[in-house]
Amino acid sequence: MNDISDILRELLDRYSNTPELDQEFERMRREKEGFEEAYTTWCEDNGYSVKDGYRDFINEIVESQDSYWDSYHEFGNNI
């Protein structure tokens, strides 16, 4: 099984931060054998709750990307 962090990054790349990402993640939890166990372990290892861990992780990535672009624009680099 791929690392849950990598899977979540792939989902974010594919679906952006949309309800489709949440739907696909929930489908994976229900249907992929071993996924729920791997996700639970990932949450425990990274200090996330099983209920909201994936969403917290996604939000951290999005905030990090936003921070990058804010810094980029702050220094006069406009696209």
Side-chain angles (χ1 to χ4, degrees):
M1 167 92 29
N2 289 339
D3 181 73
I4 298 298
S5 299
D6 293 338
I7 292 170
L8 291 173
R9 286 186 190 96
E10 288 173 19
L11 290 175
L12 183 59
D13 287 345
R14 181 177 296 152
Y15 297 104
S16 196
N17 194 13
T18 63
E20 287 82 11
L21 182 151
D22 297 321
Q23 292 168 355
E24 180 62 16
F25 180 75
E26 291 302 326
R27 184 197 65 76
M28 293 172 79
R29 286 181 74 179
R30 285 189 314 272
E31 297 177 7
K32 287 186 98 169
E33 187 174 329
F35 187 85
E36 184 67 21
E37 183 179 332
Y39 172 66
T40 299
T41 301
W42 177 84
C43 286
E44 291 169 354
D45 290 348
N46 291 285
Y48 294 113
S49 74
V50 173
K51 178 182 176 198
D52 299 320
Y54 84 97
R55 178 47 50 201
D56 292 340
F57 182 78
I58 293 294
N59 289 340
E60 289 172 8
I61 292 173
V62 170
E63 288 172 11
S64 173
Q65 291 172 344
D66 289 346
S67 176
Y68 169 81
W69 288 112
D70 289 345
S71 295
Y72 187 79
H73 289 288
E74 182 179 325
F75 292 102
N77 298 307
N78 293 316
I79 297 177

